Amino acid sequence: MRDVFRLKKLSVGELISFLIPLFIYWIVLVLKIPYSLTQYLYRFSFGLFLLVLLLYYLSFRAPGSYKVVAGFGLTMLLFGLALSYKWTSGYSDNGVIGGLLPYKDAKNYYLGANLILSSLPLVDAVNATWRPLFPGFLSTLLLLTGQNLKIALALLVGLTGCGCYLTTKQIQNSVGAAPASLYGTLLFFYVQPFIGFTVSEMAGFLFGCFAFLLLWQAAGNLKLFDLILGLVTLMVAVSARAGAFFIFPFLVLWAGWVFRKTKRFSIPVAGIAAVTILCSYLLVNTVYSRLIGIPPGAAFGNFSWELYGQIHGGTGWHQAIQDLGTTNSTIVYRAAFQYFVKHPFSLVIGAAKSYRDFFLPDLNSVFVFTFTHPGDWPNLLLWAPTIFLLGWGLVKVFKNIKFNHAGLMAAGFIGTLISIPFLPPIDGGGRFYASTIPFLFIIPAIALGWSQEWSEQNTALDKPLYNAVFFPRVGSIILLVLILIVPISAYYLYTPASLNAPVCPDKQNAFTIKVNPGSYLDLISQGTNSCGLTPDICLSEFKKNGTENNIDDFYQELLILTQPSRTVTRIIPTVNLIDSNFHYFVVADPGLSLVPAGQLVSGCASEIRTKNQSIYQIESLMLLGK
């Protein structure tokens, strides 16, 4: 066991160097930093990219142990400030309400997590049934935080920041400061748009970073334990955010070649890798789903729509629903096959469009350097060198393909490249690649640091990352327990309470809900109470920073409910325990005094229907207790 985890005593200085960045992260979230400052850090810009690139380079050039404080501190500061903007501005769009509450697709994952914690089957939470691993992981974070959504989100973002830094630090240990600086910058700006949202991309990215760490480590130390754990972690990552599954066959070939010793190829090790991949796939996509109440065949249920769109020449997932008027996967697959038999070349057109969208600087590209109007021309100054480095990095990788790490990078790139037609960017941009993005971005990064032939004897590539505290093995095992074991345990250990529905007047709906701390939003009128940090958001900022107010009738109804005479209007996204349906409950003064955090309340509500989501306006309340 000691050899597996390489236990080593931490010095006080090392411990402090790890704790300071974490302290900085939480301080940023606690402080009410004006969003007029943080607004420059929550989205990509040409100047910010160059600044982050420079700061990473300087941090990795810092002397001694200060490298960790500087690099880790910079990473956690960036993630913290991006999240802080959401929490102080009341930002709203089609994924988040007031910078905190999940909406639309993100809502389904939150609903799934709540259903797991209530021992209710994930039937109507569409995205949760397709990708149940993320709601499972979110349910664990909610369980650990007393179902406090705000703190759970902070943990999710913080863990993602840790994964981003650890991966970047390993590259710095291996090939130097310049490659690591570009690598870390590309990783941050890839995940930046998802910070603050309860979406599966966060989990895919997090687990993908740890999987890359383990496989990179296995390439250096040739430990079978790292290979197996890395493949399991990567399968969880790709299943949490459905992504480039074709990477796995090439990793099997790579494993057999790397562990060959004196042979040309190790069939036993390749077999172990293949069995690991197959067993972990069945575990996380079949057994896991069944154990939390998801019906068979629901996982990846929307893939049929994407395939249909590709076979029709890359028209997008919506084409299936538009043509067939159904979401039944069996019907969609059948229609797709019939069309392919008649028009096989149409799939080639769809694939060509996918490669175009993936690499060119458009909104659907995997790179953040978009060029959609003439004012975006500075982004071309970043996109063009990155594409050049990608090409040059590939030349260096295949020139040195006999070395273990070069083989890993080649396997990752080829697997991703072949997956692109089956993950069409038209259906979601670059977010499909969250789980394998570390395997792609290493290629342009390595072009900056691979100036000579590698040697397995005198390279630093097998240098351990850290000792046991931040070691990839320990982190990966903990994350696997949190995403696979804890949600199933919570699902079966919770005993739902027997509830009696209150009698409500005609046209009102009975409900029983639990209002959890940090899991609601209070919209506060100007000058009446302190506001400016979630869950207490100033109504004026909520109106000002709502990007969908003019086009989404859900937001329009919320604004109508925040009448000027009301001091505070509370929005509570939760499951009605009477019928297991999810709603946004809205209550205003003086009813707030009857909705204490952490306790059950029952009552009656009027339903306000909108195109995307119903709102339950609470008319009466009764406290039930914990």
Side-chain angles (χ1 to χ4, degrees), residues 467-486:
N467 52 33
V469 172
F470 277 95
F471 207 67
R473 295 173 182 173
V474 176
S476 297
I477 291 173
I478 292 174
L479 288 174
L480 289 174
V481 170
L482 294 180
I483 198 171
L484 297 177
I485 307 300
V486 177

Side-chain angles (χ1 to χ4, degrees), residues 108-109 112-113 116 122 127-128 131-140 288:
N108 287 314
Y109 294 118
I116 291 172
L122 281 69
N127 296 76
R131 291 177 285 276
L133 284 173
F134 177 64
F137 188 54
L138 182 59
S139 71
T140 297
Y288 183 90

Side-chain angles (χ1 to χ4, degrees), residues 91-153:
Y91 175 86
S92 301
D93 64 4
N94 61 359
V96 66
I97 304 169
L100 177 65
L101 307 183
Y103 184 44
K104 291 190 177 177
D105 286 357
K107 175 264 296 182
N108 287 314
Y109 294 118
Y110 182 59
L111 165 59
N114 277 275
L115 291 174
I116 291 172
L117 294 177
S118 301
S119 294
L120 297 170
L122 281 69
V123 177
D124 297 323
V126 179
N127 296 76
T129 58
W130 291 340
R131 291 177 285 276
L133 284 173
F134 177 64
F137 188 54
L138 182 59
S139 71
T140 297
L141 298 180
L142 289 170
L143 186 65
L144 294 175
T145 60
Q147 298 193 47
N148 188 310
L149 175 61
K150 181 178 178 180
I151 300 179
L153 268 173

Side-chain angles (χ1 to χ4, degrees), residues 15-35:
L15 180 62
I16 292 175
S17 68
F18 289 126
L19 293 179
I20 288 177
L22 298 177
F23 180 75
I24 291 173
Y25 174 73
W26 288 101
I27 287 296
V28 167
L29 296 183
V30 169
L31 295 177
K32 192 189 298 185
I33 301 175
Y35 73 86

